[in-house]
Amino acid sequence: FTFAGSLVLLPKWILCGFGSSVETEAHCTVERMGARLCTSSCVGPVVIRGEEYLPPDDTPPGQPAPVYVANHSSQIDVGVVYYLFRRFKWIAKQSVMYLPGVGQIMALSGHVLIKRTGKNKGSISNLYTKSNEAIQSGCPMFLFPQGTRRLAQRMPFKDGAFNIAIDNETQIVPISIDVPLGVFNDWYPLSL
């Protein structure tokens, strides 16, 4: 689905001079529909509790957008957050770009991609720069503060999301994704 969506958006992106011309369509249409389709077909229904406590989706002009943070224990987490129906940008590892469809749609959506291994000081600096630009322009950032995931282990939070919120004087919105520990094993996704 994401591959087809990226192919549909590619001509508009080229005709509009590249840049951020298709970010909203890529995120709000292709990513959201793809994530919901995948999640509902592989996992089943998703229940959102407390949605009324989330900040409004449209940030007033001149105010920084919020930083959403959620625990990250499985690949399912990525699809589940699209059930919030919020526009946001991810921070993801650069290798995601090589996933057919997913990588292309992430690039068209303007997500922040970082190099996680080796000398990555420039990548970390880019993470903060791009995140600050998004928040100041009214687009929230969504982070998994652990920076990575383990299938059967909760990882400690890193301080990047908190630094971004402090730098932008904006709120942090905690999201809890409840996927019971140990529900997946080494055969995932065949274990569902």
Side-chain angles (χ1 to χ4, degrees), residues 69-88:
V69 295
N71 54 304
H72 191 23
S73 59
S74 75
Q75 290 289 30
I76 292 169
D77 303 338
V78 175
V80 166
V81 299
Y82 285 95
Y83 281 78
L84 296 173
F85 284 98
R86 296 286 193 272
R87 166 86 168 104
F88 54 80

Side-chain angles (χ1 to χ4, degrees), residues 20-142:
S20 61
S21 59
V22 295
E23 282 185 4
T24 302
E25 294 96 333
H27 175 83
C28 294
T29 305
V30 179
E31 283 182 41
R32 189 177 292 161
M33 287 176 62
R36 289 177 58 97
L37 178 68
C38 184
T39 302
S40 63
S41 63
C42 294
V43 178
V46 172
V47 177
I48 305 292
R49 292 188 182 99
E51 192 171 6
E52 66 275 11
Y53 299 111
L54 294 175
D57 194 24
D58 53 339
T59 303
Q63 287 188 350
V67 175
Y68 292 96
V69 295
N71 54 304
H72 191 23
S73 59
S74 75
Q75 290 289 30
I76 292 169
D77 303 338
V78 175
V80 166
V81 299
Y82 285 95
Y83 281 78
L84 296 173
F85 284 98
R86 296 286 193 272
R87 166 86 168 104
F88 54 80
K89 289 189 179 189
W90 290 109
I91 293 177
K93 59 185 176 181
Q94 206 170 31
S95 61
V96 171
M97 287 297 295
Y98 301 109
L99 295 173
V102 174
Q104 293 79 14
I105 209 67
M106 286 195 76
L108 291 172
S109 296
H111 295 292
V112 180
L113 302 172
I114 61 168
K115 180 180 175 187
R116 288 192 355 187
T117 58
K119 295 183 180 182
N120 64 353
K121 199 174 261 188
S123 188
I124 299 301
S125 174
N126 183 52
L127 174 152
Y128 285 109
T129 301
K130 296 286 187 186
S131 297
N132 293 344
E133 288 172 3
I135 289 169
Q136 290 303 320
S137 71
C139 183
M141 292 299 300
F142 201 112

